[in-house]
């Protein structure tokens, strides 16, 4: 059966193909006889046969989590005069309502703050914890039924502050050593990302703790609270947030938080939007051993997805040999997971006004929503600019002629 390729609204949940009154298929065009269930969409088979072409249900699931990440940007206060500057503008109870996700069926349970232990020469003050995202749980019973499980969601925003930009540029690899039972010195990650994840606020008097401590505490609490239910853990982030999401997923798996007493499998999935490389080959191998499911959504022209390790990475070859065969491979960066490469449309010169558009979260959402869109709107805008430029140039030339040619002026 040929699947429909028309993407519906992001909030017709993955089970929009199911009737709300029963668990029966409501739209036969959305599911083939080998219907992908929610575990397939969470990467149980590493998204085999779902990426090329992109399955409509998976597209909707990715878009759904993309909107949760976008909520971080909408709620982040960038007003330097505000009392909530560089924090969330809203309280947990009404944040989703303020950013247009009141019908998502999720409830925010905790805000997450991160403090990079990094010196910034242009800011002579101790860095403070900044809001980087939130933890939420699918709380609406109808949504839980449609999803097929209780979904524990952690969403992260990308880079905003100067300290975070410095963290992005710290390409030195350092041992992660997150599991005290086995330090695994061969598992290395980018030092700036690790600092964002593990550092505490130096002047903290209220026990806020590191980003890591906040997250592990809340995830453990929610997993224990819903231990009798079918549950999934989904992490989604953009740019720097993707790195934090992957570090958290690795940490959760390494510490065994997803191991239940009855040996039920709790899917642990990362949806990475425009994410950089996070660690070396040892980190990649360990993530695979732990069974992490990572889907990297990458815009082909986004330079962030090629960093760090722009030269020394998983694609490096020396005398025809791949980097994995090199004795220096422990110092090479490597992407983790499966890549969903978004076909980048050729853009008009209008986009040159804002080169950062290739990495923007809204660009990722647009490419996912409209993969086959034409440039009709951009062409119209470009044509309008050309007409205005022509009129302006014509008026300018006319003015010059009037100024320097008195005989033309008299005529």
């Amino acid at each position: 059966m040929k699947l429909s390729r028309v993407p519906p609204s992001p909030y017709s949940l993955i089970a929009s193909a199911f009737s709300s009154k029963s668990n029966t298929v409501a739209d036969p065009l959305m599911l083939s006889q080998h219907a992908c269930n929610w575990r397939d969409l969470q990467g149980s088979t590493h998204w085999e046969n779902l990426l090329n072409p992109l399955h409509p249900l998976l597209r909707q699931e990715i878009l759904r989590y993309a909107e949760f990440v976008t909520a971080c940007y909408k709620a982040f206060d960038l007003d330097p005069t505000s009392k909530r500057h560089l924090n969330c503008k809203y309280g947990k109870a009404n944040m989703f309502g303020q950013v247009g996700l009141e019908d998502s069926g999720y409830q925010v349970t905790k805000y997450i703050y991160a403090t990079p232990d990094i010196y910034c020469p242009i800011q002579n003050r101790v860095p403070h914890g900044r809001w980087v995202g939130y933890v939420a749980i699918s709380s609406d019973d109808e949504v839980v039924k449609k999803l097929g499980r209780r979904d524990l969601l952690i969403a992260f925003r990308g880079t905003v502050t100067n300290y975070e930009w410095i963290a992005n540029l710290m390409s030195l690899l350092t041992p992660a050593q997150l599991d005290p039972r086995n330090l695994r010195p061969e598992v290395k990650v980018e030092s700036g990302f690790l600092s964002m994840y593990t550092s505490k606020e130096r002047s903290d008097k209220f026990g806020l703790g590191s980003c890591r401590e906040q997250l592990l505490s809340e995830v453990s609490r929610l997993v224990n609270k819903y231990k009798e239910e079918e549950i999934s853990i989904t992490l989604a982030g953009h740019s720097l947030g993707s790195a934090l999401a992957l570090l958290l997923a690795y940490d959760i798996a390494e510490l065994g938080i997803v191991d239940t007493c009855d040996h039920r499998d709790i899917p642990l999935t990362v949806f990475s939007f425009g994410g950089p490389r996070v660690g070396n080959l040892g980190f990649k191998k360990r993530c695979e051993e732990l069974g992490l499911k990572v889907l990297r959504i990458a815009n082909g022209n986004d330079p962030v997805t090629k960093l760090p390790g722009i030269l020394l990475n998983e694609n490096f070859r020396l005398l025809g040999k791949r980097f994995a065969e090199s004795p220096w491979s422990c110092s090479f960066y490597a992407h983790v997971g499966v890549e969903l490469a978004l076909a980048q449309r050729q853009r008009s010169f209008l986009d040159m006004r804002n080169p950062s558009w290739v990495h923007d979260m809204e660009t990722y959402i647009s490419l996912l929503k409209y993969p086959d869109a034409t440039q009709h709107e951009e062409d119209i805008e470009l044509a309008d600019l050309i007409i205005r430029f022509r009129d302006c140039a014509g008026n300018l030339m006319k003015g010059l002629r009037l100024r320097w040619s008195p005989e033309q002026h008299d005529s």
Side-chain angles (χ1 to χ4, degrees):
M1 180 182 294
K2 186 176 181 180
L3 296 174
S4 168
R5 294 294 166 190
V6 180
S9 163
Y11 285 94
S12 56
L13 303 172
I14 62 167
S16 62
F18 292 88
S19 167
S20 60
K21 297 182 179 180
S22 66
N23 206 30
T24 58
V25 176
D27 183 358
L29 291 178
M30 292 299 292
L31 295 173
S32 69
Q33 60 181 354
H34 300 293
C36 60
N37 59 33
W38 68 265
R39 287 184 178 271
D40 295 325
L41 300 183
Q42 291 291 111
S44 63
T45 60
H46 298 281
W47 297 279
E48 185 178 2
N49 300 322
L50 295 178
L51 297 178
N52 191 19
L54 183 59
H55 193 289
L57 290 182
L58 179 56
R59 184 191 305 278
Q60 288 315 114
E61 188 74 336
I62 296 171
L63 279 167
R64 196 168 65 87
Y65 287 116
E67 294 292 349
F68 281 122
V69 174
T70 303
C72 294
Y73 290 106
K74 292 180 179 179
F76 193 54
D77 194 340
L78 290 171
D79 181 2
T81 65
S82 171
K83 293 181 179 179
R84 293 178 176 266
H85 182 224
L86 299 183
N87 289 291
C88 185
K89 293 184 282 188
Y90 316 113
K92 295 192 296 291
N94 65 347
M95 193 269 272
F96 279 152
Q98 293 290 338
V99 299
L101 298 182
E102 60 274 7
D103 297 326
S104 66
Y106 283 68
Q107 176 185 354
V108 176
T109 66
K110 190 176 184 64
Y111 282 163
I112 303 301
Y113 301 83
T115 307
D117 187 15
I118 294 170
Y119 170 70
C120 181
I122 62 176
Q123 290 185 268
N124 295 319
R125 61 176 183 267
V126 176
H128 296 286
R130 300 305 183 194
W131 188 72
V132 294
Y134 59 88
V135 181
I137 193 78
S138 53
S139 55
D140 183 89
D141 290 340
E142 192 66 20
V143 170
V144 171
K145 180 180 178 181
K146 289 181 178 180
L147 289 174
R149 85 280 188 188
R150 182 84 60 178
D151 188 34
L152 196 170
L153 166 69
I154 303 100
F156 298 94
R157 64 167 174 81
T159 308
V160 174
T161 70
N162 292 327
Y163 291 106
E164 292 163 1
W165 279 113
I166 293 175
N168 285 351
L169 299 174
M170 293 175 64
S171 58
L172 178 67
L173 283 165
T174 187
Q177 298 184 338
L178 296 178
D179 184 1
R181 300 165 300 183
N182 190 337
L183 297 181
R184 300 184 185 279
E186 75 281 2
V187 175
K188 297 181 179 181
V189 296
E190 198 250 29
S191 58
F193 299 152
L194 187 64
S195 173
M196 286 285 297
Y197 184 61
T198 60
S199 296
K200 297 182 181 181
E201 190 169 316
R202 297 177 188 174
S203 59
D204 180 24
K205 299 179 182 180
F206 305 102
L208 180 63
S210 67
C211 175
R212 181 196 186 205
E213 291 170 341
Q214 299 166 55
L215 286 164
L216 292 180
S217 173
E218 184 65 3
V219 170
S220 298
R221 183 185 74 83
L222 291 173
V223 168
N224 184 65
K225 180 178 180 179
Y226 298 104
K227 61 184 177 182
E228 303 300 327
E229 300 184 28
E230 192 83 57
I231 186 173
S232 64
I233 300 177
T234 309
L235 305 95
H238 173 238
S239 191
L240 170 64
S242 295
L244 293 176
L246 183 54
L247 282 174
L248 173 60
Y250 164 72
D251 205 3
I252 291 172
E254 194 72 275
L255 295 178
I257 294 176
V258 292
D259 297 336
T260 61
C261 57
D262 58 357
H263 304 290
R264 282 186 297 109
D265 175 35
I266 298 179
L268 182 61
T269 306
V270 177
F271 289 97
S272 165
F273 298 91
R277 295 183 180 93
V278 175
N280 67 346
L281 176 62
F283 177 69
K284 171 186 171 69
K285 287 182 176 179
R286 185 56 184 158
C287 287
E288 292 172 348
E289 291 171 0
L290 292 169
L292 293 188
K293 306 300 187 293
V294 181
L295 184 60
R296 295 186 296 104
I297 299 95
N299 177 354
N301 290 339
D302 186 351
V304 174
T305 62
K306 300 171 177 60
L307 298 171
I310 192 169
L311 296 177
L312 302 180
N313 56 56
E314 69 271 21
N315 299 316
F316 179 80
R317 288 180 178 273
L318 181 64
L319 300 177
K321 294 184 178 181
R322 293 293 297 271
F323 84 117
E325 304 170 26
S326 166
W328 312 287
S329 60
C330 61
S331 301
F332 290 9
Y333 277 92
H335 269 306
V336 176
V338 179
E339 181 181 82
L340 171 59
L342 300 180
Q344 179 56 57
R345 300 189 295 271
Q346 293 295 319
R347 307 288 286 195
S348 66
F349 106 99
L350 301 176
D351 292 311
M352 297 179 185
R353 297 174 298 179
N354 182 20
S356 66
W357 71 268
V358 295
H359 184 59
D360 191 80
M361 191 64 197
E362 291 298 332
T363 298
Y364 274 82
I365 291 177
S366 176
L367 291 173
L368 284 163
K369 281 185 176 180
Y370 313 110
D372 302 317
T374 65
Q375 292 189 223
H376 180 63
E377 293 182 0
E378 288 131 299
D379 291 342
I380 290 176
E381 186 180 356
L382 178 58
D384 181 62
L385 273 180
I386 292 174
I387 292 172
R388 281 187 286 170
F389 176 79
R390 185 186 62 190
D391 292 343
C392 181
N395 291 334
L396 178 63
M397 293 303 296
K398 182 178 180 180
L400 290 174
R401 286 197 300 269
L402 290 174
R403 181 175 181 180
W404 298 106
S405 304
E407 63 279 4
Q408 292 185 16
H409 178 71
D410 293 337
S411 63

